[in-house]
Amino acid sequence: LRDAEVLAHFWAFLAYLTEALLTEAAALTGEAEPSFAVPDSLDPESFPELRRFRAALASCDFATEFARGLELAITAARSAASR
């Protein structure tokens, strides 16, 4: 992989983990539930899919989705590294 590709994978993985850790920390301290809430202020014309899936995103099983997302990230990184 080129350096730019390695860095792109690193930043994507770091962003994924950071969001997951922040969400879990908020849930553990009682500050928030582990979910993904789409803010009302989000522009529906710019982000129609997020607005459409807002209820499903808010009610997801966060632990299951985190594990699935982590597996996808690891699989994608392995695949990219083997090219």
Side-chain angles (χ1 to χ4, degrees):
L1 294 175
R2 294 174 307 152
D3 288 350
E5 291 172 310
V6 171
L7 287 171
H9 285 284
F10 169 79
W11 288 121
F13 189 68
L14 183 65
Y16 174 78
L17 286 177
T18 300
E19 173 61 26
L21 290 171
L22 288 172
T23 301
E24 283 296 307
L28 288 173
T29 61
E31 293 296 318
E33 291 295 316
S35 69
F36 181 81
V38 177
D40 290 333
S41 61
L42 190 68
D43 179 18
E45 290 189 25
S46 298
F47 302 97
E49 292 80 13
L50 284 177
R51 298 284 295 206
R52 190 175 84 200
F53 291 117
R54 138 189 262 175
L57 290 168
S59 65
C60 78
D61 178 344
F62 190 78
T64 298
E65 293 304 323
F66 174 78
R68 187 180 69 78
L70 186 58
E71 186 61 36
L72 285 171
I74 291 169
T75 300
R78 283 184 181 147
S79 174
S82 68
R83 288 187 224 156

